[in-house]
Amino acid sequence: MIIDLVNEAITKSMRHADEQLVKHRAFLRFIKGELQMAETRQNKTLTDEQQSNVLKKILKSNEETLATLAATDDRFVALTEENTLLNSFLPNLASNDEIKAALAVVLEQIKAAKNEGQAMGLAMKTLKEAKVICEGNTVKEIVNEMRA
């Protein structure tokens, strides 16, 4: 689980085992706090997917702020480093080729679907069953490409 990875990183930073983590100890604690707050709101342990969504929300917020900053700004460098740290906790996304390979088994059904919504539903269900981690927008582009 992601929270376990964050806790491990906090422990490493406290033991000064990793210079980079020591630098971002406060941010690691912030991440842990956000994950715990989300669990409290749900009143249950979060799944890996839910924890990933919490991290993606922080990442998106940082990216929006980065868009308004000049590259020479000190905060620009700090936010970029934070985003790198956040990405290290997120699972690797499947490539377009991996997504296409997983969808190959239902290619004809995707093409035969009445509309884009049905095709997307079938694609997402297939990818979830195959445990392929990917972004919805990427799948949408691939499904539209397959249907064209």
Side-chain angles (χ1 to χ4, degrees), residues 125-145:
K125 179 182 176 190
T126 303
L127 292 170
K128 187 172 185 174
E129 289 172 355
K131 294 186 178 5
V132 175
I133 300 170
C134 54
E135 292 285 331
N137 290 336
T138 306
V139 176
K140 183 177 180 180
E141 291 172 9
I142 292 171
V143 166
N144 288 335
E145 186 180 300

Side-chain angles (χ1 to χ4, degrees), residues 92-104:
N92 293 332
L93 297 176
S95 69
N96 287 2
D97 291 337
E98 292 170 330
I99 294 170
K100 288 176 185 176
L103 292 178

